[in-house]
Amino acid sequence: MTAPAGIEPLFAISHNTLVVACGVAAVGCGAGVIGCFGVLRKRALVGDAAAHATLVGVALAFLATGRRDLPVLLVGGFLSGLAALGVLVLLRVCTRTRDDAATAIVLSVSFGLGITLVSGITARGIPGGAGLEQFLLGHTAALTTADAILLAAVSAAAVLLLVLSLKEATLIAFDSSFAAATGWPVAIMDYFLVALVAVMVVVGLPAAGAVLVTALVVIPPVAARQWTDRVPTMLLLSGVFGLASALFGVAVSAVVPRLATGPLVVLAAAFIFAVSFVGAPERGWWARHRRER
Amino acid sequence: MQPPPREPILEFHDVTVAYGRRPVLWNIDLAIDEPCLFGIIGPNGAGKSTLLKAALGLVPLAGGTVRFFGQPFAEVRGRVGYVPQRETVDWDFPVSVSDVVLMGTYARLGWFRRPGPQEREIARESLARVGLADVAGRQIGKLSGGQQQRVFLARALAQQADVYVLDEPMAGVDARSQDLIFGVLSELREAGRLVVVVHHDLPTAAQWFDRVALIDMRLVAAGPTAAVLTPQNLERTYAGRLDLLDELGRAVEERGRTS
């Protein structure tokens, strides 16, 4: 029996596909864990600004090296993400633009710049440049084993750093003025937490793309919050939700060719969110509805 | 040989604070020499909370100095316990009551060290002192406003400080919690601690505090409560709000009768 055209048989999963799936699952897990502090510190959109800005760095890194080498492109993306966050801070401090407006400006302008660069590269037919638009929506099928291992290692390192400083991060996210009065360097810790989010956004690019990767650091934490009243449990659940979403995206896009991974990951996360929002004990809509009756 | 003159526990010298270019506190000179219950009193927008935040380095000074035990705050942080305003945090945050109280021990623990049995014991005792031992495991959003304020007080107790600085601890707090908080603050004073409280309610201020400072962007008067809360001083602080003053007059009289 032959498989229908366009769909590979499920059992022919290659070694590479398996490694890539594991790597992307690790990224989803890490993004879920790190994202918790973006959400708890009420900075959910900051990651989005960084994410949209990564495209500029990816394109510039490609232009500079002339190769589509994932580590190099991601370093470029990370640097331009950080630069965007720097501009965000400057806008706020120097022009007194409000937070939401500043975020929207940085996000749209840097994304516009990134798209211009990427489409320019594609239009001029620079060899190897055709694959760059995969960073827009995510495309895991193109990942190599080495790429996947790198992504997983960076995610693991980010999670390790956060878990080590969990006490400090929780204190600052909950009550920054008490933290400052008792001698903790609140500004430095804030930068550290935002930088961790930027790292996860960058390693999440192959899985979800610049447009959607923010969903990986926002949706799993918000869903996890529904089920628990403790930060450590929230981190754990959020990691599991992120992992499951990423795995779903990788699996479906591996089986159905030319389907971008990012939208699938986001849809899976949204499904988990919907279930959590309705069905979680105590905080869920259904439980609250029953209590009110 | 003469012993060196004792430094004031808390001293503001010519403190000026501005938000942007708008000054909110002018040339505050204030020294507190003895452990007591000290009230910082004044109308809304007088800069009372700003004065506390300036003392704790949370807002920059445009001029002047603040000293605790004759030293800059940064040198003696560990001896100062802080209770911020309740509205400054998100009470839906996923932490338990005892998690919050444990935060009072973090500064002593330092980087990366987790609270151990000793810290948990301190947190338990602190919670018991404010009457919340039985809700230690609860998420903080499930408490009443008065209980939340007591959690913040317990966290400050867990700091095991020599000076306690409280920002509006009685705002939006039920009578039982007010009594409990005032009781704990009195105990601290008996134990030789200085307790500085920003407070907006005049009648209760007259009952509770040993000494007060009246503030309306400038220091109007400071000293023993009965000597400071005079009609003339209050007139200068709360210009034109006489109904308030009548109420206060009764409260001061009542205090005179009971003590």
Side-chain angles (χ1 to χ4, degrees):
Chain A
M1 211 174 92
T2 53
I7 297 183
E8 294 171 32
L10 270 175
F11 302 101
I13 294 172
S14 70
H15 175 71
N16 181 59
T17 312
L18 208 61
V19 174
V20 166
C22 290
V24 174
V27 169
C29 177
V33 173
I34 302 291
C36 287
F37 275 92
V39 168
L40 288 175
R41 192 84 172 94
K42 318 233 169 348
R43 301 253 165 87
L45 271 180
V46 169
D48 203 16
H52 279 74
T54 53
L55 216 49
V56 178
V58 168
L60 288 179
F62 173 75
L63 283 175
T65 61
R67 284 186 305 150
R68 229 173 66 219
D69 192 15
L70 188 72
V72 174
L73 299 188
L74 292 189
V75 167
F78 179 67
L79 291 179
S80 67
L82 282 192
L85 295 175
V87 173
L88 194 60
V89 172
L90 281 181
L91 270 182
R92 222 162 43 203
V93 173
C94 300
T95 68
R96 292 206 197 167
T97 314
R98 285 170 35 129
D99 254 6
D100 54 340
T103 308
I105 291 169
V106 169
L107 186 153
S108 51
V109 171
S110 59
F111 190 57
L113 185 60
I115 292 286
T116 310
L117 286 170
V118 168
S119 51
I121 290 168
T122 315
R124 303 190 101 207
I126 299 170
L132 281 185
E133 69 266 27
Q134 289 175 353
F135 285 93
L136 217 54
L137 294 174
H139 187 71
T140 50
L143 289 177
T144 66
T145 303
D147 292 341
I149 290 171
L150 174 79
L151 297 181
V154 173
S155 307
V159 169
L160 187 69
L161 281 175
L162 182 70
V163 169
L164 275 177
S165 55
L166 191 59
K167 172 183 114 226
E168 290 77 12
T170 307
L171 173 69
I172 279 156
F174 172 62
D175 190 348
S176 59
S177 62
F178 181 81
T182 46
W184 297 96
V186 172
I188 292 173
M189 284 295 293
D190 260 340
Y191 288 131
F192 167 70
L193 291 175
V194 168
L196 281 187
V197 172
V199 166
M200 288 319 300
V201 158
V202 168
V203 296
L205 281 180
V211 183
L212 295 174
V213 68
T214 187
L216 269 186
V217 290
V218 174
I219 301 179
V222 175
R225 176 68 185 92
Q226 288 290 101
W227 300 88
T228 176
D229 278 336
R230 293 289 179 283
V231 171
T233 318
M234 181 176 162
L235 296 187
L236 198 71
L237 274 178
S238 182
V240 171
F241 291 167
L243 187 147
S245 310
L247 218 47
F248 175 83
V250 172
V252 174
S253 67
V255 173
V256 186
R258 278 185 295 163
L259 210 50
T261 318
L264 295 166
V265 173
V266 173
L267 288 179
F271 173 74
I272 294 173
F273 171 76
V275 170
S276 308
F277 182 76
V278 174
E282 208 176 330
R283 288 176 76 89
W285 174 83
W286 179 242
R288 276 186 295 153
H289 178 72
R290 287 215 337 206
R291 267 203 308 278
E292 275 159 24
R293 273 201 316 193
Chain B
M1 228 172 70
Q2 286 263 320
R6 256 185 59 190
E7 300 275 7
I9 302 174
L10 172 57
E11 185 181 24
F12 296 86
H13 178 62
D14 201 22
V15 166
T16 297
V17 178
Y19 285 136
R21 284 188 192 154
R22 191 169 54 91
V24 288
L25 284 171
W26 291 92
N27 312 111
I28 304 285
D29 270 303
L30 178 65
I32 308 174
D33 300 304
E34 299 292 331
C36 64
L37 268 178
F38 192 98
I40 296 177
I41 320 290
N44 282 335
K48 309 181 294 284
S49 294
T50 305
L51 187 65
L52 277 200
K53 289 183 187 146
L56 302 180
L58 297 177
V59 299
L61 300 182
T65 53
V66 180
R67 291 269 187 276
F68 286 84
F69 308 101
Q71 288 177 285
F73 173 66
E75 305 289 317
V76 288
R77 281 179 202 285
R79 299 179 67 183
V80 182
Y82 176 41
V83 178
Q85 285 186 21
R86 187 160 53 89
E87 303 85 72
T88 55
V89 304
D90 169 19
W91 290 90
D92 195 40
F93 202 90
V95 285
S96 71
V97 168
S98 63
D99 290 339
V100 173
V101 177
L102 272 173
M103 289 177 186
T105 67
Y106 283 6
R108 240 171 306 128
L109 276 172
W111 285 98
F112 310 125
R113 279 185 57 208
R114 299 291 161 91
Q118 201 186 339
E119 283 74 29
R120 288 180 200 291
E121 185 53 36
I122 293 171
R124 245 195 312 276
E125 281 168 20
S126 305
L127 265 179
R129 280 181 78 178
V130 300
L132 292 178
D134 49 336
V135 295
R138 219 176 277 180
Q139 195 268 332
I140 51 172
K142 296 184 179 117
L143 306 184
S144 73
Q147 289 174 319
Q148 290 175 347
Q149 192 65 65
R150 278 145 63 191
V151 172
F152 264 15
L153 178 58
R155 180 177 65 176
L157 292 175
Q159 289 182 266
Q160 302 185 318
D162 296 320
V163 178
Y164 289 86
V165 175
L166 299 87
D167 200 346
E168 296 277 9
M170 303 299 191
V173 164
D174 58 284
R176 182 181 130 72
S177 287
Q178 283 201 357
D179 289 346
L180 245 155
I181 292 169
F182 179 60
V184 171
L185 298 184
S186 306
E187 283 169 28
L188 288 173
R189 173 192 47 194
E190 305 318 325
R193 310 291 196 268
L194 168 63
V195 181
V196 181
V197 182
V198 163
H199 192 67
H200 69 282
D201 183 54
L202 278 172
T204 46
Q207 286 173 34
W208 285 337
F209 298 120
D210 308 317
R211 303 172 76 84
V212 295
L214 272 176
I215 286 185
D216 186 19
M217 295 182 77
R218 295 165 189 277
L219 181 69
V220 177
T225 305
V228 170
L229 295 184
T230 61
Q232 294 86 345
N233 282 338
L234 290 170
E235 177 66 45
R236 283 167 61 201
T237 318
Y238 295 83
R241 287 193 253 170
L242 289 172
D243 49 331
L244 252 175
L245 300 188
D246 289 346
E247 201 183 321
L248 177 77
R250 280 198 299 279
V252 173
E253 258 170 46
E254 210 167 285
R255 182 188 161 104
R257 277 204 302 275
T258 52
S259 60

